[in-house]
């Protein structure tokens, strides 16, 4: 199966555990570089019937290709809901071609990083056996002494499944022991991390003002760890819009506008007052995603609409482990 876009994808996951020495991803030629760049998009999973894609997905893919060409991108983080509505049941599923390979075709998206990802509420298929559901990615920022770490979580395993199109919370983990094992692993990795930039990524949001709102399970289990270990940011999808929320020094990025759009803000008052810095889910944007650049001393996050312009930009500082 040829992949025209190297997404951070579960089917080729790499199992990383605490007893292994830290492994660093190869970014290829980096002689004249001093940063790492990536795109992040969630909820891009097309349709399970012809034409297998949506107008939003197509427009967003086209703009992603332009931004990747102009701004540069080393890899793409896929933040879940990769195949609507019930995932895929085989590595030979035609959905890989119809919803994935035939959409992200641009040369600029043929990104030579081989990275894994996670499932989500719409990818949770019980008869597929994956080598890992959660793992850690480490990068040397080229020509600096700085390190970027991305911890990828399986929030379905941690919190349980939910209906993507209903305003409902996850029902609780199917396997409590596995959920606890992931949480212990996460705390260990975060406690050990000396990365200058520490990102955590999952499908469900910690904070969101939209249809699904804050995920109570993650507020209880993940939120204290993000604060305690001074994470730089948490990236997610699930709600079909773009959001940036900043709370207690952590950036919360919702990038779920890859296939559908939702302007719903019913949970605006359920996030900390004044924490919402940016929101859009308007149909006029045609879709959206984020571009991130991690340099020696800062992380620049830019929100793009598929119409062809940037909508919002924020700058996050590197972690200060001495405070």
């Amino acid at each position: 199966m040829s992949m025209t876009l190297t997404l951070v994808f579960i089917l080729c996951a790499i199992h990383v555990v605490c007893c292994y020495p830290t492994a660093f991803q190869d970014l290829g030629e980096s002689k004249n570089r001093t940063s790492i760049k990536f795109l992040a998009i969630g909820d891009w999973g097309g349709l399970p019937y012809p034409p297998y894609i949506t107008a939003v997905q197509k427009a967003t893919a086209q703009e992603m290709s332009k931004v990747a060409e102009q701004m540069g991108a080393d890899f793409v983080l896929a933040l879940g809901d990769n195949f609507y509505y019930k995932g895929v049941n085989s590595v030979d599923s035609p959905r890989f071609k119809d919803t994935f390979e035939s959409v992200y075709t641009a040369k600029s998206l043929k990104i030579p990083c081989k990275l894994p990802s996670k499932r989500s509420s719409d990818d949770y298929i019980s008869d597929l056996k994956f080598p890992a559901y959660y793992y850690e990615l480490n990068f040397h920022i080229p020509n600096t002494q700085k390190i970027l770490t991305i911890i990828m979580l399986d929030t379905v395993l941690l919190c349980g499944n939910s209906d993507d199109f209903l305003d409902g919370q996850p029902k609780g983990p199917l396997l409590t022991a596995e959920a606890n094992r992931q949480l212990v692993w996460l705390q260990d990795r975060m406690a050990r991390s000396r990365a200058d930039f520490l990102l955590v990524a999952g499908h469900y949001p910690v904070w969101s003002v939209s249809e699904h709102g804050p995920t109570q399970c993650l507020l209880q289990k993940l939120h204290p760890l993000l604060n305690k270990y001074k994470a730089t940011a948490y990236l997610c999808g699930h709600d079909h819009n773009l959001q940036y929320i900043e709370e207690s020094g952590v950036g919360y990025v919702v990038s779920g506008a890859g296939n559908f759009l939702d302007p719903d803000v019913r949970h605006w008052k359920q996030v900390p007052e004044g924490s919402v810095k940016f929101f859009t889910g308007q149909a006029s944007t045609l879709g959206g995603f984020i571009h991130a650049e991690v340099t020696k001393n800062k992380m620049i996050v830019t929100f793009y609409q598929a119409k062809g312009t940037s909508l919002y930009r924020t700058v996050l500082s590197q972690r200060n482990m001495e405070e």
Side-chain angles (χ1 to χ4, degrees):
M1 179 176 62
S2 64
M3 292 292 184
T4 56
L5 171 63
T6 306
L7 289 168
V8 183
F9 200 75
I10 185 67
L11 294 178
C12 57
I14 301 171
H15 189 45
V16 180
V17 295
C18 62
C19 58
Y20 290 177
T22 301
F24 286 85
Q25 305 296 314
D26 183 7
L27 293 174
E29 177 58 43
S30 59
K31 182 177 180 180
N32 298 315
R33 300 177 47 194
T34 57
S35 69
I36 294 172
K37 303 176 182 181
F38 64 90
L39 306 175
I41 182 171
D43 304 78
W44 55 270
L47 297 168
Y49 46 78
Y52 302 107
I53 64 172
T54 67
V56 168
Q57 185 188 13
K58 184 176 181 180
T60 302
Q62 292 173 343
E63 184 60 21
M64 285 172 64
S65 71
K66 294 177 184 177
V67 171
E69 181 176 3
Q70 296 169 5
M71 302 296 294
D74 295 298
F75 55 89
V76 178
L77 292 183
L79 298 171
D81 281 4
N82 303 317
F83 294 97
Y84 285 111
Y85 294 103
K86 296 185 181 298
V88 294
N89 57 11
S90 167
V91 294
D92 298 316
S93 170
R95 293 291 306 283
F96 285 107
K97 184 177 189 304
D98 296 334
T99 299
F100 177 42
E101 296 179 9
S102 297
V103 181
Y104 305 97
T105 58
K107 182 178 179 180
S108 62
L109 295 179
K110 294 179 181 178
I111 301 171
C113 290
K114 299 178 181 179
L115 304 174
S117 185
K118 70 222 133 293
R119 62 191 169 183
S120 65
S121 53
D122 289 314
D123 302 313
Y124 199 101
I125 304 299
S126 60
D127 61 347
L128 285 182
K129 310 296 184 190
F130 299 117
Y133 294 125
Y134 48 91
Y135 41 86
E136 180 183 275
L137 304 170
N138 295 285
F139 304 85
H140 288 295
I141 301 175
N143 299 300
T144 74
Q145 301 297 314
K146 303 300 179 68
I147 293 173
L148 164 66
T149 292
I150 306 176
I151 297 177
M152 306 293 283
L153 298 182
D154 185 333
T155 55
V156 172
L157 186 66
L158 187 62
C159 297
N161 214 338
S162 69
D163 190 316
D164 193 52
F165 293 93
L166 295 176
D167 176 17
Q169 292 286 314
K171 305 304 182 184
L174 184 63
L175 300 171
T176 302
E178 290 298 325
N180 291 339
R181 185 174 291 113
Q182 179 178 191
L183 191 61
V184 169
W185 173 87
L186 171 63
Q187 181 162 1
D188 177 76
R189 297 318 299 164
M190 295 188 74
R192 291 170 179 262
S193 176
R194 293 297 177 265
D196 300 280
F197 299 89
L198 176 60
L199 309 182
V200 181
H203 180 60
Y204 295 146
V206 174
W207 296 115
S208 171
V209 303
S210 196
E211 178 184 14
H212 299 102
T215 305
Q216 295 305 315
C217 165
L218 296 183
L219 283 175
Q220 295 170 7
K221 298 179 179 180
L222 176 59
H223 182 256
L225 300 181
L226 295 173
N227 289 336
K228 180 177 181 179
Y229 297 114
K230 301 180 180 179
T232 308
Y234 176 72
L235 291 78
C236 69
H238 200 41
D239 274 325
H240 299 156
N241 36 56
L242 301 174
Q243 304 179 45
Y244 182 68
I245 296 170
E246 195 167 273
E247 183 257 333
S248 298
V250 180
Y252 292 89
V253 175
V254 178
S255 180
N259 196 68
F260 303 110
L261 287 163
D262 185 2
D264 191 326
V265 291
R266 72 183 72 176
H267 291 101
W268 192 280
K269 293 185 178 180
Q270 293 185 24
V271 304
E273 185 176 357
S275 63
V276 182
K277 307 303 181 184
F278 170 73
F279 173 90
T280 185
Q282 301 301 319
S284 59
T285 64
L286 305 182
F289 58 95
I290 69 131
H291 178 275
E293 180 175 12
V294 186
T295 70
K296 179 179 180 180
N297 54 18
K298 61 187 176 181
M299 175 176 170
I300 306 164
V301 180
T302 306
F303 290 76
Y304 283 91
Q305 62 177 336
K307 283 176 62 175
T309 55
S310 61
L311 297 174
Y312 180 78
R313 178 172 294 148
T314 189
V315 178
L316 297 169
S317 301
Q318 72 176 60
R319 299 164 75 205
N320 185 350
M321 302 303 296
E322 296 180 356
E323 291 183 355

